[in-house]
Amino acid sequence: MNDRPDTRTRILDAAQELIQRRGVNGMSFKDISDIVGIRKPSIHHHFASKDDLVVALLQRYRQQFEVTLEGITCQHETAQEQLIAYMRLFEQTLQVGDQDQSCLCGMLAAEVLSLCPHACDAVNGFLTDNVRFLSELLQVGREQGSLQFAGEPAEMASMIFAALQGGLIVARSQAQPQQMAVVTRQLLCSVSPPVA
Amino acid sequence: MNDRPDTRTRILDAAQELIQRRGVNGMSFKDISDIVGIRKPSIHHHFASKDDLVVALLQRYRQQFEVTLEGITCQHETAQEQLIAYMRLFEQTLQVGDQDQSCLCGMLAAEVLSLCPHACDAVNGFLTDNVRFLSELLQVGREQGSLQFAGEPAEMASMIFAALQGGLIVARSQAQPQQMAVVTRQLLCSVSPPVA
DNA sequence: GTCTATAGCGCGATAGAC
DNA sequence: GTCTATCGCGCTATAGAC
């Protein structure tokens, strides 16, 4: 009957939203306590330090993302459809709330010098996982014939992932969410077989 | 005979380096004063506030960048060569010092919610200028025949610029500068006519 | 598990001497 | 133009009552 998540979860939710908007260095315990509706020191009962909070947040985020990627693989037949669904994730990020949220790990990757070693490893693990996922998807797509491109799948994967992360940052900064769709459409063109 | 720049310039240099490494929110007057070798309050003599410093920095950066872009246009004949030279700028950013510097405006675009309106406008102006430069370059290249791609030049320009910005963030986070060259090579593939 | 109170520090910024 | 001294604030974190 109680559909409100527990405090720990609500703290993580607030922290994630704040980091995706302003970055780690732009987020404070005060901001979190305002959103969650508890006092600042109460946060320390759930997370000993700010670093611990960020590490826990990354752990949850990567778990959720893994499930999402599995869903994409299962729910779509062709690699092309899977790629479209994957890119949709990034477009959707910009459609939440005030349209000012970027990818959590893209944001943290930009601020990587402010992170503790554990958080740094988690961010880079996320980046690597994504490029690997894309790389396998491109490989399969090329074999299927639903995708076509020059060069190695791993290199095209790096390029596509970079474009999606950069696209989020640029589109959000300029307050033009539709620019994200422009980037994904152009990416799709770049790996699609000629229409003829 | 005095080859050391004046204090104002050295403050801007320090601020730029710090922002490209840690972002605005990760940079402080203390950091600047340590690098420049003056006391914290002395900075206020040159820049009334932190916002003023950031705005002045962006003004200088955009002026310098404009000159660089003109140089690229003049020094290279074909659009393809100009594109290669442009992308080289992003690779070179990652080759400076400890290889942990990103693009100033890419960093600030990620932290755009922490900027004053003037700085925000300057960052977005920089982004727009770059996409426009690329867009014209792609248009000319297509007409020349040195470049070839599907879709509109403006849309391909958005995609390329996003990939360069995202590529910087990812490669830097993972401490793999060579990944930046992977991205630029793949981008070049995507706008090059078939070798045959 | 949440609270009040507070420690301890770093921040941007100001005042005023030199 | 740079300095010392300091203000006022916000931060993360801790101590201890309830």
Side-chain angles (χ1 to χ4, degrees):
Chain A
M1 280 292 97
N2 185 2
D3 48 5
R4 176 198 254 193
D6 64 11
T7 304
R8 188 190 144 94
T9 300
R10 285 188 293 138
I11 291 172
L12 289 172
D13 291 343
Q16 181 171 336
E17 179 194 318
L18 287 163
I19 293 177
Q20 289 187 224
R21 286 164 44 92
R22 314 201 212 187
V24 232
N25 291 327
M27 173 212 75
S28 75
F29 279 30
K30 168 75 161 46
D31 298 326
I32 296 174
S33 72
D34 285 344
I35 293 176
V36 175
I38 58 174
R39 296 297 186 158
K40 260 195 303 174
S42 304
I43 301 172
H44 286 280
H45 176 75
H46 302 275
F47 304 98
S49 70
K50 191 174 178 177
D51 280 344
D52 288 334
L53 170 55
V54 172
V55 168
L57 178 56
L58 281 164
Q59 193 186 347
R60 185 183 74 158
Y61 189 76
R62 291 185 69 188
Q63 277 174 3
Q64 291 171 346
F65 208 84
E66 195 181 342
V67 172
T68 303
L69 291 188
E70 283 166 9
I72 287 178
T73 306
C74 296
Q75 287 159 30
H76 301 276
E77 188 111 353
T78 71
Q80 190 191 45
E81 287 166 341
Q82 290 171 5
L83 177 61
I84 291 171
Y86 177 82
M87 296 197 298
R88 271 289 284 164
L89 295 178
F90 290 79
E91 293 180 35
Q92 284 166 350
T93 300
L94 263 193
Q95 291 162 359
V96 172
D98 294 332
Q99 311 193 328
D100 54 6
Q101 287 182 244
S102 186
C103 168
L104 177 67
C105 287
M107 209 68 180
L108 292 177
E111 291 178 297
V112 78
L113 295 185
S114 303
L115 302 181
C116 68
H118 260 124
C120 184
D121 290 347
V123 168
N124 287 327
F126 175 87
L127 304 181
T128 302
D129 287 349
N130 275 267
V131 173
R132 188 185 300 121
F133 172 85
L134 273 172
S135 185
E136 290 169 5
L137 189 157
L138 290 167
Q139 172 94 45
V140 170
R142 170 182 277 176
E143 289 164 4
Q144 284 178 342
S146 70
L147 299 177
Q148 184 176 318
F149 53 91
E152 295 300 313
E155 309 207 336
M156 181 56 92
S158 288
M159 191 274 265
I160 291 176
F161 186 66
L164 292 171
Q165 290 293 346
L168 271 183
I169 288 171
V170 172
R172 188 187 71 117
S173 176
Q174 302 200 310
Q176 293 176 344
Q178 71 277 15
Q179 275 297 310
M180 193 61 212
V182 167
V183 170
T184 57
R185 195 186 325 139
Q186 201 63 40
L187 285 171
L188 190 61
C189 275
S190 302
V191 294
S192 293
V195 276
Chain B
M1 280 291 98
N2 185 3
D3 48 6
R4 175 197 254 193
D6 64 11
T7 305
R8 188 189 143 95
T9 300
R10 284 188 294 138
I11 291 171
L12 289 173
D13 291 344
Q16 181 170 338
E17 178 193 319
L18 286 163
I19 293 177
Q20 289 186 224
R21 285 166 45 93
R22 314 199 210 191
V24 231
N25 291 325
M27 172 213 77
S28 75
F29 279 31
K30 168 76 160 45
D31 298 327
I32 296 174
S33 72
D34 285 344
I35 293 176
V36 176
I38 58 173
R39 296 296 185 162
K40 254 197 308 174
S42 304
I43 300 171
H44 287 279
H45 176 77
H46 302 275
F47 305 98
S49 70
K50 192 173 178 177
D51 280 344
D52 288 335
L53 170 56
V54 172
V55 168
L57 178 56
L58 280 164
Q59 193 186 345
R60 186 183 73 159
Y61 189 75
R62 291 185 68 187
Q63 277 175 3
Q64 292 173 345
F65 207 84
E66 196 181 342
V67 173
T68 304
L69 291 189
E70 283 166 8
I72 286 179
T73 306
C74 296
Q75 288 160 29
H76 301 276
E77 187 112 352
T78 70
Q80 190 191 45
E81 286 166 341
Q82 289 172 4
L83 177 61
I84 292 171
Y86 177 81
M87 298 197 297
R88 270 290 284 164
L89 294 177
F90 289 80
E91 292 179 37
Q92 284 166 349
T93 299
L94 263 191
Q95 289 162 0
V96 173
D98 294 333
Q99 310 193 328
D100 54 8
Q101 286 183 241
S102 187
C103 168
L104 177 67
C105 287
M107 210 67 178
L108 293 176
E111 291 177 297
V112 79
L113 294 185
S114 303
L115 302 181
C116 69
H118 260 124
C120 185
D121 290 348
V123 168
N124 287 326
F126 174 87
L127 304 181
T128 302
D129 286 349
N130 275 268
V131 173
R132 187 185 301 121
F133 172 85
L134 273 172
S135 186
E136 290 168 5
L137 189 157
L138 290 166
Q139 172 95 46
V140 171
R142 172 182 275 176
E143 289 164 3
Q144 284 179 341
S146 71
L147 299 177
Q148 183 176 318
F149 53 93
E152 295 301 312
E155 308 206 338
M156 182 56 93
S158 288
M159 191 274 265
I160 291 175
F161 186 66
L164 292 172
Q165 290 293 347
L168 270 184
I169 288 171
V170 172
R172 187 188 71 118
S173 176
Q174 301 200 309
Q176 293 176 344
Q178 70 278 15
Q179 275 298 307
M180 194 61 212
V182 167
V183 170
T184 58
R185 196 186 324 139
Q186 200 64 39
L187 284 171
L188 190 61
C189 274
S190 302
V191 293
S192 293
V195 275

